[in-house]
Every structure is written in structure tokens, then in C-alpha cells.
Amino acid sequence: MAVRRLAPAEVQPKEFSFTAENLAWAKTQLEKYPDGRQASAVIPLLWKAQEQAGGWVPEAAIRYIADFLNMAHIRVMEVATFYTMFNLAPVGRYHVQLCGTTPCMLRGAEDLKKVCHRKIGEQFDVTPDGALSWVEVECLGACVNAPMAQINYDFYEDLTPEILARILDDLAKGKVPPPGPQIDRHFSAPVGGATTLTDPALYATAPKTAGASLKDSKAKKPGAAANVREAAVPAGPVGDSSGKRRK
Amino acid sequence: MTKLIVDGIEVDVPADYTLLQACEAAGNEIPRFCFHERLSIAGNCRMCLVELVGSPKPVASCAWAVRDCRPGPNGEPPVVNTRTPMVKKAREGVMEFLLINHPLDCPICDQGGECDLQDQAMAYGVDTSRYWENKRAVEDKYIGVLVKTSMNRCIHCTRCVRFVTEVAGVPELGAIGRGEDMEITTYLEGAMTSELQGNVVDLCPVGALTSKPYAFAARPWELNKTESVDVMDAVGSAIRIDTRGREVMRILPRVNEDVNEEWISDKTRHVVDGLRSQRLDTPYIREAGRLRPATWSEAFTLISIRIKDARPNRIGAIAGDLCAVEEMFALKDLMTRIGSKNLDARQRGSMIDPRWGRALYTFNATIAGIEKAGAALIVGTNPRHEAAILNTRLRKRWRMGQFPVALIGDRADLTYPYHYLGAGPDSLAEIAAGKGDYADILKAAERPLLILGAGALARNDGPRVASLAARAALKIGAVKDGWNGFCVLHSAASRVGALDIGFVPGEGGQTAVQMADSGNADMLVLLGADEIDVAPGAFVVYIGTHGDAGAHRADVILPGAAYPEKSGIYVNTEGRVQMAARAAFPPGDAREDWAILRALSEHLGHKLGYDSLAQLRQALFAAHPHLMRIDRIEPSDSGDIRRMADVDGAPDKTPFAPVIEDFYLTNPIARASAVMAECSAIAEGRRNLTAAE
């Protein structure tokens, strides 16, 4: 980890304030906390400010949030510099967070880094058209689909240097490729289809209620709540009578 | 009380003690960097690890309470070991980690010789390191003109951050970044605004924060240390004056739990360079409008000639803010012998009168007593500027909780929230009449305080303001059996002492303001009085230390000794008698003030009856026995306050004005200091910036 500094003064906007919509949202955040503990809202507010400012936290936003929460400016600065997911300098419209932790590294993340170097430049460099920037991050929790990268809010998994290069080219043109595994694979299911439980006989008596298998379109959307399921409740295994009894 | 066995010694300590305190109670020294008695517990340096039997790992004793220890299987007291091989290894390990990134620049470090890390590395560390990687490099930060940073040396104890946030109440320092790359800084490297920032230098256990004005000036082992008291304000903080040869090199705080705990204000600490510049080191005589150096006998002769032309009732004496009791006593004695009753120590025109009784001019609740108070009403004063250390006590009390504070007077940032009642005496009258919600809050509080700024009495209706304040104090229950919460806060070190010895106009005498007015006096003796403009006409004899306002107006200048250069008694705002010790000698031909007065008296034919300071003190103690009781406070009579409350008349509606416009430039020594001027300029720039917004 390196020393993190605010962006130079020339790129800093003079002022920052929440849009009316974000301000209303920020006020609902404050209500979550008891009186005198409003400073607890500093991280969600900084995150909102980062979204509003285009992926980074300007210095003016740090001051704005400190005043908004009645905190000392330095206290918000401490938070903003502590968490590496707060970008302190402008990033591209598509900010690539490339996972470089062990599983991804073993599956070829080093080669992906070379692609990023070639296509974008050094970490945190923004391409001249303002479209792309990249940074190597620690584990994003998609090791089973390694190597992977998070671009803005979406995971792009099972990358190869060629695929990543294509994705970056598309993004530079303003075309957003579909997120998820980039090879013939259904989420984290086995590559090239199932390798076990392949005997069709197993499914001969499967109840019809199970419905069609899950489509990508039914995938959980970013930001969806944890209790949102990705598909209908799956049918019970063959021979299990518990489901019947429940009926 | 909980029993505990520390290294085989059974101790019985309160359950809220930490293990570190319990170990100290058992006579063991526990090394520490981040832990400090007066700050919150951080537990991040890990130097205080001890072995707690039953715990699989060593525990940080500063963050482990005695009540958190489990007893043995048969109910035996918990066992703590501080000298086992496990503890030794733990300490060595922590020390090795701390030294990975700490530069080995002790020979060029100002902390060298008084460095906690240096000492503890010697005592608890090992002699080699197993690391050969490069050390971390950290950019130095600008955090003000008083604190110099060498951030490579920082060990991330965060004492400085906790001090400015908790004690000083100006949360400006913070730790940005994380882990190894954590850095201490102010927001965008702005200058700190606290008037207590110098204390972070004392708190810093390494040389990361050192004193900027004192940078590379001296080594601690070259210095002579003299314990004394401060005169920059009326608090009388305990200080240690470090001198090398004739020169005062620096001033540090001493612990005095009753007064300053262990903090001092920046003015107290950094006024040192003011002791070297603008000094008067020889007598001067004004000839044809210009001052020329003269000899003592020339000066005395001139005075004795001029005094013959003056009628006794047109001769006056004004004592300044930094005078010790002894020289004021000698001056009063001399003026009495000359036959003049024109004496005054209240340069700023305060109407406070010792005849009202001592309870009406001292801080009766005492500074330590603030912690027992239940509420405070601050009237006509800005304690942050007039008594910065006392303000930290108020803040400390406020941090304990349940401490409503109300303010009448000029709005200011006191570092703690207060309820603003109004600007003038009418708001005080409402409290005295029991009107308004806040009167009820104050009345409901146990042991409320009424802090009356001495500046609130520096107006023509001063006695009526005092009477009104006394009525308000009685109304809110600040004066009752066992508690006297009527507190007068002075801003000048000499004031209470002067009032104690009656350095005020006698029957028919003129006040300082009257004497300074044109045509009221033929001859004036200014004893270090620089805060008053003497109108043309009078022949002015100035006894003082610096070429300040008084010296510019003077016709004869007699060079005196500044406070580190003489032994003297000072009475602080509580009425606590304290003795300052001599640490250095006055420059050139300058002499101690009492000796100047003694020599002058002989020339004038009114010889004072003492030839030594000891004899002078004997006479002083005979006249005012309570001054003999050093470090004690003579109890005052709360009946004085009741009598004062019966005085009739309402003050007019003029708002209370702030006494101190510039915290850093309140006396001639501070005005001669380049460091104070720099601080003042920064504060001024900040004021203009706020005004512009």
C-alpha cells in the first residue's frame, strides 16, 4: 500500500454540494443514528459524494461532509484516506479494479495487469479520453471465477488477456459488455457444463414445477437486497418426499 | 477494591484501575509510549505488554482493566507477571518493530537526551536489529510556527492527536492513511490554532514533534533547571525554567495538580525570546525629547530634583501586570513615606476594590474545584484567552458530562458548547431576578459556578456590576455552606497580590486612569506599567524591563528584572500564594526592582527600612501574614459576597467588552517576542478570514 494524497489543487473543484436528491438521501441516512452520533454516517455519505463526483472524492466534498456532519475536517480526511475504495483523484468513467490476490494471480492476473498497462497506463492514470483507469486491488471474493476485475459496479470474471483487451476496447467506445463470466460458463458452475449428476435418468421424474433453469436476466442486480433470490425456489431432489408433504 | 498479585506481591487496587496502574501500585515500572494518564487510552504502541496468567497471549496492560481479570480456579486473585521471560521477549519484540522504521538520527535530534524511545530502547530493547530493508520515509508536515515536525521519527502513538482533540478541544491534528503509511498532519497542513499546541512537544515520546523556536538551541544536559511559576496570566502555572549560562533557553511545564495539571499555554512556553530582545539594560534619561543612556546616580539625582517640584498629592505610582508582590510592597511603602495616596495596580481601569473583601476578587471555587462544579455561568470574560489553562479545566469538567455552561458577554469559541444568554448586564440581571429557563437550570445544578471576568468590572459602573453578579451568584445558589462558586477571573499575574497588599488609591487618592489623565499628576512612577497611556505633562519614571509603551513615554528609565531574573511572590487568581525563583540574571546594569526602589528611596530621603530581600519579606509578612503561606490559599469569607449583594443600583446596559484583543501580545515581554508576533500574525490572518466569510 502506498501513501495516499489528495489530487493536486488544479483538478480539485472549488465547491461541492449534494444534489437535491442526494441531500434528501443523506438526511435519511442521518436518521439511522441516535442524536449526537451522526458522524457514523460519514462512510455512506463519502460514498455518495464519490458517486456524485464521478468516482472520486474531491477535497471540497471532504469539507462539505465534515460541515454537514458537524465534524472536524481532519476527521473526515482521516476516513477518506484510510479506506482505499475512496479514490482521492479523478478516475475514468470506467474504473477497473483488477484483483491481484493469490487465486487470481495464480490464474493469470499478472498477464491482465500487462493488458491494463498497455491499454491504459500506470495505475490511476486516466486515458486521455477520460474513459478508463485501473488499479490493482485485493481479493474481491470471486476467486472461483478467477481471474477477475470489477469495472464500476460489475464483476467481469474468467478473464483472459484477450477478453480483457476486448472489454477495455468496448468500454473505450462506450459499449458496456455484459458482466459475469466471460467464457462458456454459468456463474460459478463448471466450465463447459456439468461434470457430475449428468445422468438424464436422475431427472426423469423431476417435477415440472421446477421451471426453466436460471437465465442470466434473472441474475441478482447490483444493490439488490440480500434476501432477493435469483430464481424460484428449486425443486427438491428426486425421491425427497418432504416437499410433497409440505403441500 | 480488588486483590491482584503482581510479581508475587499482593496489591489491593480499585477495580477501575488498569493493569498498568496496578503494576505501578505494586512498584513496577511499565514501559509505554501511547499511554498517558490525562488522555484517553489508545492501546496501539503495545510497549506495555505484561503476562496475565491464564491468558494465552501477553496483554496490553494500559487497556486491560483490573476488573476484566478472571480469578484462578479456586478463586485466587489474578496473577500478573512483569518480569518473566515472556514479558521480556514481548517488549524486545515490540521495541524491534518500533525501531524498524525509526531513524537512527539521535545525534541530530532535539529530543536526544530526553527521549522516551531512546531511554526505553536502552532499558527494554536489544542491541541489534534483524532488518536490513530500507526504512520508511515520511514527508515532514507544516503544522504551525511552534511545532517542528520530523515525521520519519513518528511511532504512531497518537498522543498529539488525542491531546488536541480532548484537552485542547481544537481537533486539528489527525492521522491520515493507514498502517505503515499513517501520517500525523493537520487538515491540508494548516497551522494549528490551539493556544496549547506547545504541549504536544512534551507529549511526543520521540523527536517527531519538537519545539520550532528552540530547534537545535541546546541539549538537555547542558541546562540548569529552576522551578518557578508563570506570570503570563493570572493562573500562575507551575513552570521549569531551563537556562544555559545567563540565558533562559526554554520554559517547560511542571506538574501542579491544583493549577495547571501538566499543561502550559503557548504564551507561557514560547515567550522566551521576548526575554532577550528590547531589553532595558542601562538607565536612560530624556534630554531634549530623546532618551540617552545614563548612570544610576544621574537618574536618581534627576528624580530627586524633579520630585521636589511635585506636590505629594500630585505624585502617583502605577504597578503593571507582571510585578511581584515584594516590589509593589516596597513602592507602596515609598509612596506612603512621600505622603502620596495615589497608588493603583488596576491599569485597565478595573473598579475592583480590596475593601469589598477578598471573596470579591479571588477565584473562590479554586481551579481544581471546577471539577466539582455542576454548572457554570461565565460573565464578561473569555477564559480561553484570559486564562487558557483554566479553560482546559472547564473543558475537562464539561467532558465529564452534565455541565451546562452559559455565557454573558462577547461571543467566542471556548472549545466547549455554551448557552449564550446575552452581551450585557441586563442578561445578568435576569439571572439575578431568577427569570428565564437558564436561571432554573443553574439553580437546579449542584455547586454552580459564577465566573466573573475582572474585565467586566473595568467600567464606571464596576461596583454595581460586582453587586449584581453577587446577587446572581446568591440567586443560583453558587454561594452556600461548603461551596463558594463566586469566582473572579483576573488576567494579570500581579493583580491579586496588589489587591492583597492594598495597592489601590488611599482615601482621596487618584486611580490609575485619573493619574494618567492630563493635568492630574506632576510625577508618575510606572512599575512595569505598559498598558496605560500617560497624557503629556507628568514627569514619568519607568521601572521596567522592555522598551515598550511605558519606556517610550518615560522621562527616566530605570532598568528592572524580568520574572525569571528575580525571586518574587505572586498571588494567582485563586488567591494562591506562589513564589517564583530566580533562574537567570538581569542584563547589563539592570537590577531587581525592589533593590531599585530601595536605592531610589535613599536618594529621595525616604529610606526604606530593608537592605535585603529577606528583610523586605519580613516586613511584608508582618503586614500581610497570609503571603507567608506559600502554595496555600487563604480562605475567604463568603459574607463579603452577601454584603456586596446588598449594594443597590443597577449597572447600565453597555455590553461587556473583551479584555484581551490579542492573546499572544498581552504584556511587554510577549510583545518583544518574535515568536509571539508570528503566532499573533497567524491568528490575525485567521480572524480576518473568518470576518471575510
Side-chain angles (χ1 to χ4, degrees):
Chain A
M1 202 175 308
V3 176
R4 283 153 50 80
R5 290 274 185 265
L6 295 186
E10 336 39 297
V11 302
Q12 295 280 2
K14 286 262 176 307
E15 276 171 16
F16 177 91
S17 58
F18 276 143
T19 59
E21 190 190 343
N22 284 350
L23 188 64
W25 177 87
K27 283 183 180 149
T28 63
Q29 294 299 302
L30 287 195
E31 284 161 15
K32 289 182 180 175
Y33 305 100
D35 265 354
R37 298 278 185 264
Q38 269 64 29
S40 304
V42 65
I43 291 180
L45 261 56
L46 273 171
W47 189 251
K48 201 56 146 184
Q50 172 157 311
E51 284 180 355
Q52 188 185 315
W56 68 294
V57 182
E59 187 267 331
I62 293 177
R63 266 184 289 132
Y64 175 81
I65 288 167
D67 295 339
F68 189 81
L69 297 174
N70 204 8
M71 295 166 77
H73 293 173
I74 185 74
R75 290 282 101 81
V76 182
M77 174 93 124
E78 285 176 333
V79 174
T81 53
F82 184 91
Y83 293 102
T84 50
M85 281 171 77
F86 292 123
N87 297 315
L88 301 178
V91 293
R93 280 195 301 284
Y94 301 100
H95 184 54
V96 180
Q97 299 181 62
L98 182 72
C99 178
T101 308
T102 318
C104 282
M105 191 195 76
L106 293 172
R107 299 274 295 152
E110 298 289 312
D111 295 334
L112 301 183
K113 279 199 247 169
K114 283 182 198 144
V115 174
C116 288
H117 272 291
R118 201 174 65 238
K119 293 264 172 197
I120 305 172
E122 289 299 314
Q123 295 194 39
F124 283 111
D125 280 0
V126 182
T127 49
D129 56 358
L132 295 168
S133 60
W134 79 283
V135 61
E136 182 186 341
V137 296
E138 298 306 325
C139 184
L140 289 170
C143 313
V144 74
N145 293 65
M148 60 78 66
Q150 180 183 348
I151 302 178
N152 287 357
Y153 292 108
D154 292 322
F155 276 14
Y156 289 81
E157 298 154 328
D158 298 309
L159 301 174
T160 61
E162 297 73 39
I163 296 173
L164 181 62
R166 199 194 65 227
I167 291 174
L168 294 180
D169 289 341
D170 284 355
L171 289 171
K173 285 180 216 140
K175 213 170 87 189
V176 183
Q182 301 297 311
I183 54 174
D184 172 29
R185 188 175 187 186
H186 186 73
F187 291 129
S188 51
V191 180
T195 54
T196 56
L197 302 175
T198 48
D199 184 358
L202 283 170
Y203 305 97
T205 57
K208 294 214 160 53
T209 50
S213 64
L214 193 62
K215 291 281 187 307
D216 277 2
S217 58
K218 287 188 187 165
K220 216 162 122 175
K221 291 284 175 287
N227 58 359
V228 174
R229 304 203 58 157
E230 295 194 324
V233 180
V238 178
D240 178 17
S241 59
S242 61
K244 281 177 192 152
R245 233 180 286 132
R246 261 198 308 258
K247 280 178 198 163
Chain B
M1 301 293 270
T2 310
K3 274 201 173 56
L4 203 67
I5 297 175
V6 180
D7 290 340
I9 303 167
E10 190 173 290
V11 285
D12 206 5
V13 293
D16 58 335
Y17 261 33
T18 62
L19 278 190
L20 191 146
Q21 287 169 306
C23 291
E24 296 208 318
N28 277 309
E29 189 189 67
I30 305 292
R32 85 289 302 266
F33 293 109
C34 71
F35 178 79
H36 192 275
E37 289 84 353
R38 291 174 220 277
L39 304 175
S40 64
I41 293 168
N44 51 6
C45 76
R46 316 310 287 181
M47 194 63 207
C48 63
L49 293 176
V50 296
E51 179 182 358
L52 177 62
V53 173
S55 161
K57 298 188 284 184
V59 300
S61 62
C62 72
W64 195 284
V66 166
R67 67 158 68 88
D68 296 336
C69 300
R70 277 185 303 181
N74 305 314
E76 306 97 333
V79 178
V80 178
N81 293 322
T82 69
R83 290 175 199 178
T84 49
M86 179 214 208
V87 177
K88 182 169 184 290
K89 198 174 167 211
R91 287 171 179 169
E92 286 172 358
V94 170
M95 184 54 81
E96 195 173 356
F97 273 123
L98 285 173
L99 292 176
I100 289 174
N101 276 322
H102 191 83
L104 299 177
D105 59 355
C106 303
I108 57 150
C109 175
D110 256 343
Q111 192 85 352
E114 49 186 4
C115 174
D116 288 358
L117 187 64
Q118 213 175 24
D119 296 347
Q120 292 184 27
M122 287 297 291
Y124 303 103
V126 286
D127 57 351
T128 53
S129 172
R130 285 173 288 179
Y131 287 84
W132 56 81
E133 287 86 357
N134 287 336
K135 287 181 189 255
R136 169 202 63 179
V138 186
E139 290 161 47
D140 289 346
K141 310 286 186 298
Y142 173 82
I143 59 173
V145 292
L146 299 179
V147 182
K148 182 177 171 236
T149 62
S150 300
M151 286 313 189
N152 278 344
R153 301 175 187 148
C154 179
I155 59 165
H156 301 163
C157 71
T158 69
R159 273 187 189 180
C160 50
V161 177
R162 283 175 283 148
F163 173 81
V164 295
T165 311
E166 293 161 14
V167 178
V170 193
E172 289 170 330
L173 279 179
I176 64 164
R178 62 196 289 183
E180 192 186 40
D181 297 310
M182 188 171 114
E183 298 178 32
I184 302 292
T185 182
T186 52
Y187 190 73
L188 303 182
E189 299 196 31
M192 287 196 280
T193 61
S194 170
E195 56 290 308
L196 297 161
Q197 53 181 280
N199 291 300
V200 300
V201 173
D202 293 340
L203 286 170
C204 186
V206 295
L209 305 177
T210 52
S211 171
K212 213 176 236 179
Y214 174 72
F216 309 127
R219 284 301 197 179
W221 55 84
E222 306 174 310
L223 301 170
N224 283 319
K225 289 120 186 150
T226 312
E227 302 199 337
S228 188
V229 293
D230 172 54
V231 302
M232 290 296 125
D233 53 31
V235 174
S237 303
I239 55 170
R240 194 186 87 192
I241 303 172
D242 285 6
T243 48
R244 185 175 61 188
R246 297 178 66 94
E247 203 174 5
V248 176
M249 299 306 293
R250 63 171 176 179
I251 290 173
L252 295 176
R254 253 184 324 128
V255 176
N256 186 344
E257 296 292 345
D258 292 332
V259 181
N260 59 322
E261 299 180 277
E262 61 179 273
W263 321 122
I264 53 174
S265 74
D266 291 342
K267 190 162 50 174
T268 303
R269 185 188 300 265
H270 288 296
V271 81
V272 173
D273 67 327
L275 293 166
R276 294 178 206 136
S277 49
Q278 298 282 320
R279 283 306 294 269
L280 301 170
D281 56 357
T282 179
Y284 285 87
I285 290 175
R286 191 177 293 279
E287 275 179 359
R290 294 177 66 88
L291 287 166
R292 70 156 177 91
T295 61
W296 281 102
S297 61
E298 273 180 292
F300 285 155
T301 314
L302 179 64
I303 297 168
S304 55
I305 292 167
R306 295 300 297 255
I307 206 163
K308 291 201 184 84
D309 303 338
R311 271 182 292 138
N313 64 352
R314 288 178 63 79
I315 299 173
I318 303 174
D321 288 353
L322 309 180
C323 300
V325 173
E326 286 91 342
E327 56 229 37
M328 290 190 287
F329 181 75
L331 182 56
K332 186 187 177 195
D333 201 355
L334 177 62
M335 295 307 280
T336 314
R337 281 163 201 254
I338 290 170
S340 164
K341 288 173 177 163
N342 306 328
L343 289 171
D344 207 344
R346 305 162 306 181
Q347 288 184 82
R348 293 174 213 259
S350 173
M351 300 294 279
I352 219 159
D353 192 324
R355 284 169 284 248
W356 296 346
R358 203 165 189 252
L360 265 305
Y361 66 86
T362 52
F363 201 94
N364 294 306
T366 73
I367 295 173
I370 291 172
E371 287 177 33
K372 285 186 282 184
L377 172 63
I378 300 172
V379 182
T381 175
N382 174 355
R384 188 173 169 194
H385 283 172
E386 289 171 39
I389 295 302
L390 191 140
N391 199 48
T392 61
R393 265 316 160 112
L394 284 166
R395 182 176 157 80
K396 184 180 180 189
R397 174 64 192 85
W398 171 77
R399 273 172 54 81
M400 292 175 190
Q402 306 285 319
F403 189 58
V405 183
L407 176 76
I408 298 175
D410 203 41
R411 272 179 202 267
D413 176 10
L414 298 183
T415 70
Y416 42 86
Y418 55 81
H419 183 84
Y420 188 66
L421 291 176
D426 33 351
S427 310
L428 185 57
E430 274 187 23
I431 296 285
K435 277 190 276 182
D437 296 344
Y438 227 80
D440 296 335
I441 294 175
L442 292 168
K443 217 185 296 179
E446 218 173 316
R447 295 188 290 271
L449 288 173
L450 188 145
I451 301 176
L452 178 65
L457 304 175
R459 40 197 274 166
N460 288 333
D461 56 354
R464 277 170 289 161
V465 173
S467 164
L468 181 61
R471 279 199 296 274
L474 291 172
K475 186 77 187 179
I476 62 174
V479 182
K480 52 193 170 194
D481 280 346
W483 175 252
N484 189 345
F486 184 85
C487 301
V488 176
L489 181 57
H490 292 270
S491 53
S494 70
R495 201 71 83 240
V496 176
L499 294 170
D500 273 357
I501 61 163
F503 202 96
V504 290
E507 208 66 40
Q510 298 178 17
T511 65
V513 177
Q514 285 166 341
M515 284 185 253
D517 263 359
S518 97
N520 283 347
D522 290 337
M523 182 185 245
L524 271 185
V525 180
L526 303 182
L527 186 62
D530 291 281
E531 321 298 327
I532 193 161
D533 284 332
V534 180
F539 181 83
V540 175
V541 178
Y542 177 77
I543 306 174
T545 56
H546 286 71
D548 205 70
H552 286 297
R553 172 63 187 84
D555 295 292
V556 174
I557 295 174
L558 306 176
Y563 70 100
E565 296 152 9
K566 63 190 175 197
S567 172
I569 290 172
Y570 291 91
V571 187
N572 82 350
T573 190
E574 302 169 282
R576 185 186 302 276
V577 183
Q578 302 193 101
M579 196 181 279
R582 185 171 70 190
F585 290 91
D589 278 345
R591 292 290 177 269
E592 290 182 36
D593 304 52
W594 78 268
I596 297 172
L597 289 162
R598 164 69 181 72
L600 178 63
S601 71
E602 201 162 352
H603 271 264
L604 301 182
H606 299 284
K607 189 176 165 189
L608 295 174
Y610 19 82
D611 298 330
S612 69
L613 191 57
Q615 285 177 11
L616 164 56
R617 285 200 177 131
Q618 258 174 6
L620 174 67
F621 295 156
H624 307 283
H626 73 275
L627 294 175
M628 196 160 35
R629 293 187 270 280
I630 302 293
D631 292 333
R632 297 269 296 280
I633 302 175
E634 193 72 6
S636 52
D637 175 17
S638 60
D640 296 339
I641 298 165
R642 296 207 169 79
R643 272 190 298 282
M644 195 66 197
D646 294 337
V647 175
D648 269 343
D652 57 38
K653 293 197 185 318
T654 325
F656 297 121
V659 193
I660 294 181
E661 276 153 22
D662 194 331
F663 167 74
Y664 296 102
L665 303 176
T666 51
N667 60 53
I669 306 178
R671 282 189 292 263
S673 157
V675 177
M676 288 293 107
E678 221 172 330
C679 291
S680 162
I682 289 177
E684 175 78 27
R686 208 159 45 227
R687 274 199 298 275
N688 294 342
L689 206 66
T690 346
E693 281 167 12

